[in-house]
Amino acid sequence: MESTLLTMFQNYLGGEYDSSMETVVRFCINRAITSFRAYMNYPPDYVENGLDASDMEAHVYCIFDLAFYYWNLQGVEFQTEHTENSVKRTYNTEATIYATHGVVPFAGVMD
């Protein structure tokens, strides 16, 4: 999964990508994977049977968008908007990314 996402990142950035970015890109990728797993709230038997990995493969573009979201928020973490020199930027949320891809977490019922 990580190598696929790294290749996607390199292809997406094209000539702007260089090897000095790899540490930060890998951090963003790992953060996206961790965030996706936490959001999905996979049931234990799902994880034990390896179904979480196949589900994550099916949602690779959602995870890529999360990684790229983290990449783009460097330096403005926890801001919803930013204005500087009459340029205003408004940032989406992770929830928007999940909704765009139609990703819905597992829900459990307490006994």
Side-chain angles (χ1 to χ4, degrees):
M1 167 75 54
E2 292 88 351
S3 63
T4 299
L5 289 165
L6 180 60
T7 300
M8 290 171 72
F9 235 97
Q10 292 167 337
N11 291 338
Y12 191 82
L13 292 175
E16 294 178 26
Y17 183 85
D18 68 63
S19 60
S20 68
M21 300 174 172
E22 189 166 332
T23 301
V24 177
V25 169
R26 285 187 182 276
F27 179 83
C28 292
I29 288 169
N30 287 329
R31 183 175 176 194
I33 290 169
T34 301
S35 178
F36 189 85
R37 283 183 189 274
Y39 180 78
M40 288 304 290
N41 191 31
Y42 290 116
D45 61 326
Y46 213 76
V47 175
E48 289 169 10
N49 294 323
L51 297 174
D52 60 327
S54 62
D55 185 59
M56 290 176 65
E57 288 291 332
H59 292 101
V60 69
Y61 286 102
C62 180
I63 298 170
F64 171 77
D65 285 352
L66 287 169
F68 205 69
Y69 170 78
Y70 298 134
W71 171 265
N72 283 315
L73 282 183
Q74 290 180 80
V76 293
E77 293 88 346
F78 309 107
Q79 293 185 32
T80 56
E81 64 182 51
H82 182 85
T83 304
E84 186 175 339
N85 296 329
S86 71
V87 174
K88 181 177 181 179
R89 296 174 189 236
T90 304
Y91 304 103
N92 286 329
T93 64
E94 289 177 57
T96 304
I97 296 169
Y98 291 119
T100 300
H101 291 279
V103 175
V104 179
F106 285 86
V109 177
M110 303 297 286
D111 291 336

